[in-house]
């Protein structure tokens, strides 16, 4: 089979030929149809992600595919069942073995590209806004990086939860995508003053931040008392330094959110969230936005597009 493999953090990954893996106990093997890309894949390529596996390994965190084989002593969906799996890596390949407990059976109405784009982006935003921040109807939600993979789903879910949503992104094209997802107010990160714009709108109750850096600092200064800040990631490359005395004065809470981490200590948070999200998808209340699809042979180009921040929503690599 072919796989997009990385053997050194100093060298770019490349397509290699390798044996089709055999599933062990507790595993299923998938014939992979599509793999969703994430900013974490870029970090993993250089060994900077918190869950980077030992070299060598195949990139690709989340996949959609068909169960092709089941390991011994394993309860799993039957061979031939279409599923999505968050495997952490191994998705940019024609076949992969994954933990059977992570397999989510897909509804017939969800195509493979949408399924590969679904779990991390929607799961992160739903767990963050519902489980962590307890976003309430009528509150004001500010989403930074609002046209990106997770940011766009935060706009969509925040609106579904009854919030007034302020979307912040770079440029008119990206802001138009956030507007279509339900944003009530738009901030151009290239030209607008985030702090002053949010203050003019009455301040914010919840900040969803996958960006970090200067945008975090500006948004922080627009918080209302008892605001909640969700630290999702640092796409800017700069980890914010938080003035604890300001947290105290305004009774602000800052919360970290690593969606995949819940699988290790509270998997029911993830499974319950995904069940809700799949119900919403069946009802037509959420629709994955995929701006670009590439073939496996074009995986390097797909990652370059993600690195250049030229995509909106998700980028997906189709395998078969």
């Amino acid at each position: 089979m072919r796989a997009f493999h990385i053997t050194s953090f100093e060298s770019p990954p490349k397509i290699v030929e390798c044996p089709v893996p055999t599933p062990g106990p507790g595993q299923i093997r998938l014939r992979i149809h599509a793999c969703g890309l994430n900013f974490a894949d870029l970090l993993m390529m250089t060994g900077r992600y918190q869950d980077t596996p030992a070299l060598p390994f195949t990139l690709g965190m989340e996949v959609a595919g068909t169960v092709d084989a089941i390991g011994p002593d394993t309860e799993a969906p039957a061979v031939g069942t279409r599923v999505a799996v968050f495997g952490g890596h191994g998705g940019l390949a024609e076949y992969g073995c994954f933990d059977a407990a992570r397999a989510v059976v897909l509804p017939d109405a969800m195509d493979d590209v949408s399924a590969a784009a679904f779990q991390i982006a929607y799961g992160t935003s739903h767990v963050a806004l519902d489980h962590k921040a307890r976003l309430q109807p009528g509150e004001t939600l500010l989403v930074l990086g609002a046209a990106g993979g997770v940011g766009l789903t935060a706009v969509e879910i925040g609106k579904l939860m009854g919030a007034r949503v302020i979307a912040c992104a770079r440029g008119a094209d990206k802001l138009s995508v956030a507007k279509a997802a339900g944003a009530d107010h738009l901030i151009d990160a290239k030209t607008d003053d985030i702090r002053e714009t949010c203050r003019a709108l009455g301040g914010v109750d919840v900040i969803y931040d996958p960006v970090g850096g200067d945008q975090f600092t500006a948004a922080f200064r627009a918080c209302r008392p008892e605001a909640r800040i969700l630290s999702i990631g640092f796409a800017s490359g700069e980890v914010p330094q938080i003035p604890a005395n300001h947290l105290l004065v305004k009774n602000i809470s800052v919360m970290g959110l690593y969606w995949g981490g819940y699988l290790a200590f509270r998997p029911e948070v993830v499974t319950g969230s995904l069940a809700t999200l799949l119900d919403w998808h069946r009802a037509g209340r959420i629709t994955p936005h995929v701006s670009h699809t590439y073939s496996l042979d074009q995986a390097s180009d797909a990652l370059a597009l993600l690195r250049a921040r030229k995509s909106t929503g998700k980028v997906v690599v189709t395998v078969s």
Side-chain angles (χ1 to χ4, degrees):
M1 71 170 194
R2 296 184 306 151
F4 194 62
H5 216 54
I6 182 165
T7 58
S8 167
F9 295 131
E10 286 72 45
S11 302
K14 61 182 180 180
I15 300 288
V16 300
E17 291 283 343
C18 55
V20 175
T22 300
Q27 290 187 321
I28 54 173
R29 184 174 69 204
L30 295 187
R31 179 69 172 99
I32 296 171
H33 302 314
C35 177
L37 298 187
N38 295 275
F39 184 76
D41 289 307
L42 300 176
L43 298 177
M44 203 176 288
M45 286 170 58
T46 56
R48 294 182 293 131
Y49 189 59
Q50 60 262 28
D51 276 347
T52 300
L55 293 168
F57 63 91
T58 298
L59 284 168
M61 301 181 73
E62 58 181 332
V63 299
T66 301
V67 178
D68 172 76
I70 300 173
D73 303 318
T74 300
E75 292 186 13
V79 170
T81 304
R82 292 176 59 245
V83 300
V85 177
F86 168 72
H89 65 281
L92 287 171
E94 293 175 329
Y95 292 87
C97 291
F98 304 99
D99 185 345
R102 295 191 180 186
V104 177
V105 176
L106 295 174
D108 292 339
M110 182 179 282
D111 63 85
D112 294 321
V113 169
S114 295
F118 192 81
Q119 288 194 83
I120 293 176
Y122 279 106
T124 295
S125 293
H126 185 251
V127 171
L129 295 175
D130 183 62
H131 176 72
K132 294 286 284 189
R134 307 292 183 186
L135 180 67
Q136 299 299 307
E139 289 191 313
T140 297
L141 167 67
L142 169 64
V143 180
L144 303 178
V150 292
L152 195 61
T153 62
V155 172
E156 195 174 5
I157 290 172
K159 194 64 181 173
L160 272 176
M161 294 177 68
R164 179 179 68 153
V165 179
I166 305 171
C168 179
R170 298 181 68 83
D173 290 344
K174 290 188 175 183
L175 286 171
S176 67
V177 173
K179 179 69 173 178
D184 299 290
H185 303 280
L186 305 174
I187 297 175
D188 190 330
K190 292 195 298 185
T191 59
D192 297 335
D193 187 313
I194 295 172
R195 176 195 180 190
E196 293 306 320
T197 303
C198 288
R199 282 187 165 184
L201 292 169
V204 296
D205 300 296
V206 176
I207 296 170
Y208 183 98
D209 179 23
V211 178
D214 292 340
Q215 290 191 34
F216 174 96
T217 302
F220 180 88
R221 297 174 71 186
C223 283
R224 290 175 175 166
E226 292 196 323
R228 290 89 75 202
I229 302 174
L230 293 156
S231 184
I232 308 297
F234 314 106
S236 67
E238 183 180 342
V239 178
Q241 302 302 304
I242 301 168
N245 58 322
H246 291 189
L247 299 179
L248 182 152
V249 170
K250 296 183 75 172
N251 289 289
I252 296 172
S253 300
V254 180
M255 311 172 188
L257 191 284
Y258 169 40
W259 178 80
Y262 275 97
L263 293 168
F265 68 94
R266 286 196 64 189
E268 72 277 6
V269 171
V270 170
T271 55
S273 171
L274 287 175
T276 296
L277 290 166
L278 286 170
D279 284 344
W280 286 356
H281 182 272
R282 289 187 190 96
R285 301 182 72 192
I286 55 176
T287 304
H289 175 87
V290 177
S291 65
H292 296 79
T293 58
Y294 289 82
S295 69
L296 184 59
D297 289 326
Q298 298 170 314
S300 292
D301 295 332
L303 288 164
L305 181 85
L306 196 65
R307 186 183 297 108
R309 302 184 195 178
K310 293 182 178 180
S311 60
T312 55
K314 294 284 284 190
V315 177
V316 173
V317 172
T318 57
V319 182
S320 64

